[in-house]
Amino acid sequence: QVQLVESGGGLVQAGGSLRLSCAFSGRTFSRYGMGWFRQGPGKEREFVAAISWSGVSTYYEDSVKGRFTISRDNAKNTVYLQMNSLKPVDTAVYYCAAGQWQLRGSMNDYDYWGQGTQVTVSS
């Protein structure tokens, strides 16, 4: 069974940066497409970024393009989300997800989810 554990969340001022990590275990990491989603206060969970099995290809939600970078290290079974130029609207619980498809933006395309890590951006 796949297990995902996120870390790296916290409180940051607007304009600051954070790097989230998600540790994967239980199966062969390089065979899974990975994604990051977020759920803000009173909002539905939404797609943020996705990365292919190899890490060569990435896909972003429009509002984070140019500010967030998804990457993965298949030797460490870990996916990252580097978040720069953070805004208060980025405040949310961030979840990583794993699925057998690549570069998907729908929650339905992911089979496994982490417990989430809180990111709070103050103005």
Side-chain angles (χ1 to χ4, degrees), residues 65-107:
K65 284 180 181 177
R67 299 190 298 124
F68 291 10
T69 303
I70 187 171
S71 62
R72 66 190 295 163
D73 186 335
N74 284 350
K76 295 183 177 179
N77 290 354
T78 302
V79 62
Y80 304 96
L81 186 68
Q82 177 67 44
M83 304 186 295
N84 299 329
S85 302
L86 282 161
K87 306 174 181 179
V89 295
D90 296 318
T91 294
V93 177
Y94 283 71
Y95 299 89
C96 73
Q100 294 186 347
W101 303 102
Q102 300 184 85
L103 303 174
R104 299 299 179 100
S106 170
M107 291 176 55

Side-chain angles (χ1 to χ4, degrees), residues 41-63:
K43 298 181 180 180
E44 294 185 353
R45 194 171 299 188
E46 64 177 5
F47 170 74
V48 175
I51 192 165
S52 61
W53 301 328
S54 67
V56 170
S57 299
T58 56
Y59 169 43
Y60 296 94
E61 191 270 331
D62 286 346
S63 70

